[in-house]
Amino acid sequence: MSSAADPGHRSCEHAALVLDSAPQLVAVADSKPSSRGYVQASLRVRIAATRSTGRMPPGRGQGGKGLGATAPPQSVSPFEIINPSTFPAPLALPNDDLNLDPAYPPQSLLSWIRSRDRNEVSQDRRTIYVADYPAVDEDVAFVTDWATPAATRAPGGTATSSIVPPPDVALVVEYLTAFYHGLAVKLLPTPLSFVAWSKRPRSTKKSQAADPPTRIGLRVGASPTVVGVSARACPDAAFPRQLDLNHILDAALDVLPTDAYAVLLMDLDDDYCCGRAFGGSRVAVVSAARYAPAVAGKDPPHAWPASHCKAFVADAVAAAAAGAAAPSPPSRPAAESPRDEPGSALSAAVHAAAATDDTGTASGVWLARVARTAAHELGHCLAMDHCVYHACAMQGSASLNEDLRQPPYLCPVCLAKLARAVAGPPPSPVDYLVRRYAALRRVCGRWAADAGMFAAFDAWLGVRMAEMSGLAGSR
């Protein structure tokens, strides 16, 4: 997959990496806030957003790696160590989510604590269940055909042998176990299956193609109750039909075990979007369809972490300005770092991802995409809103292109929410964060050769853990 700003070749060396968002790199003639696009909050505001008081700790001075850098290591919160090359700003490229909605309200730790939609993690409810892809009843065998990308079909309409097997849900569970360290993550024992919604005569493939149903059923286990799921023609013809995620989420509500904190349903069919969550109800669904290599292609050359490449960002801004008034010169020097900057988590991630160019597999890339979105949707079940503070796994996304440019890590603000939800409000969350990072490194390190995201995340984690090594509780 490629875009006008990302021509789809590997020739770019990513010589410099941008740490600012695109709108902040270009001045505009009109000084009204609405015309300036997204503007990242100041470092002081971002640090305050990680604290339950919503205020800066007293006596903190400006440091090179965050406001806590000048304080004694024993008194510094890990959320105060914000090296911009570890936690850069959201890119907010033209037509990205934050570019389209730059005033999206931020959710600080304090506002998250006060959220009425937040469900506490308790001893009785601290398990995340992940449901395997629904089985397909023989009466609706055509649903299997709906999940077959048009790009993999032979001229006669049948699937070819080039189809890559979908991600193993057990591997998604393994990734989520590390990402949500401290919570149990298990496969849901209750099977789901697509069944006929109406009792109309069994259709052949030919008759079904001429008159496809507008609704199918989704059964939970052996229950006689069947949830109706709307189906429609796929607008871009990438798949024969699409299913309504909201209706699939209705089925998730019926399957929520008593000890579950949340339930995530996996689906192979093309749905109205790649993922959705009813956060307050603790249910989410992820469609793997659009992430399939047959649909989305290989990772583009400027997928994360190379999405922060200065040349790529400049090209994206220039492409958007083509035919319109030329942007003004930069209002200030762009915050950037060389690709080979020592101690840079982003630089380490770019190098690691580049090393997988010849080893990455289609199945590994598909797994990485699905795992990242699964982690994002479950974040909503923990009442985390879309993040506007940093480039972050909890950012909103306006397109598949933007999705692939976003990182798999949580920024300090969102990480503060997760640590408080899972580990509670101890004096220092350092021990929990170190154990979580170590768990993620074990998973990503094993899969590093299969996908650039896993290799890059592993390298990023190594640098981040080194940044925290002097903090109390980090050993």
Side-chain angles (χ1 to χ4, degrees), residues 36-398:
R36 293 202 300 263
Y38 169 80
V39 177
Q40 187 184 32
S42 71
L43 184 57
R44 295 187 66 85
V45 169
R46 284 178 276 139
I47 293 290
T50 70
R51 298 178 61 81
S52 60
T53 61
R55 299 178 179 178
M56 278 296 303
R60 290 290 193 262
Q62 181 73 39
K65 292 188 177 182
L67 297 181
T70 59
Q74 293 78 12
S75 66
V76 175
S77 160
F79 310 121
E80 295 177 43
I81 307 300
I82 303 181
N83 187 329
S85 65
T86 303
F87 296 109
L91 286 172
L93 296 177
N95 296 315
D96 278 3
D97 188 62
L98 276 175
N99 187 281
L100 297 172
D101 188 9
Y104 192 87
Q107 184 196 52
S108 66
L109 175 62
L110 178 59
S111 59
W112 174 83
I113 291 171
R114 291 174 171 173
S115 172
R116 289 179 292 182
D117 292 331
R118 185 170 67 90
N119 295 288
E120 294 280 358
V121 175
S122 66
Q123 289 302 318
D124 295 330
R125 283 195 326 201
R126 55 185 309 113
T127 300
I128 294 171
Y129 285 97
V130 182
D132 207 341
Y133 309 114
V136 178
D137 188 83
E138 63 177 6
D139 284 345
V140 290
F142 51 81
V143 172
T144 301
D145 191 57
W146 290 0
T148 304
T152 63
R153 295 173 183 274
T158 58
T160 69
S161 59
S162 62
I163 297 176
V164 177
D168 185 341
V169 174
L171 297 181
V172 177
V173 168
E174 189 174 353
Y175 180 83
L176 294 174
T177 299
F179 194 93
Y180 288 103
H181 181 76
L183 298 177
V185 184
K186 303 177 181 178
L187 278 170
L188 184 72
T190 307
L192 283 77
S193 56
F194 286 120
V195 298
W197 176 247
S198 64
K199 292 297 183 181
R200 70 183 197 173
R202 185 180 300 180
S203 58
T204 64
K205 271 193 174 183
K206 185 175 181 180
S207 63
Q208 188 275 327
D211 182 25
T214 57
R215 186 173 291 257
I216 61 171
L218 182 57
R219 173 173 287 143
V220 176
S223 169
T225 302
V226 175
V227 175
V229 179
S230 294
R232 70 179 183 186
C234 183
D236 63 0
F239 293 86
R241 303 286 281 175
Q242 284 185 329
L243 301 182
D244 190 331
L245 260 74
N246 292 324
H247 295 163
I248 296 175
L249 282 167
D250 289 340
L253 293 171
D254 291 340
V255 77
L256 200 65
T258 56
D259 66 334
Y261 180 79
V263 166
L264 171 70
L265 302 189
M266 300 293 297
D267 186 24
L268 284 175
D269 291 275
D270 185 36
D271 300 326
Y272 290 6
C273 60
C274 292
R276 184 162 292 172
F278 291 166
S281 299
R282 300 174 289 127
V283 294
V285 61
V286 169
S287 167
R290 289 279 163 167
Y291 294 124
V295 180
K298 297 179 179 179
D299 275 345
H302 290 97
W304 183 85
S307 50
H308 289 271
C309 170
K310 180 181 179 181
F312 166 69
V313 172
D315 285 348
V317 173
S328 304
S331 57
R332 56 181 171 77
E336 62 181 70
S337 66
R339 171 180 168 173
D340 297 321
E341 180 187 6
S344 163
L346 190 57
S347 176
V350 169
H351 277 284
T356 68
D357 283 356
D358 298 324
T359 64
T361 64
S363 58
V365 167
W366 198 357
L367 171 63
R369 295 167 178 172
V370 169
R372 180 173 52 189
T373 297
H376 174 99
E377 296 304 336
L378 284 170
H380 289 317
C381 291
L382 283 159
M384 286 192 263
D385 200 351
H386 284 155
C387 181
V388 303
Y389 291 103
H390 298 272
C392 175
M394 288 308 300
Q395 279 182 256
S397 177

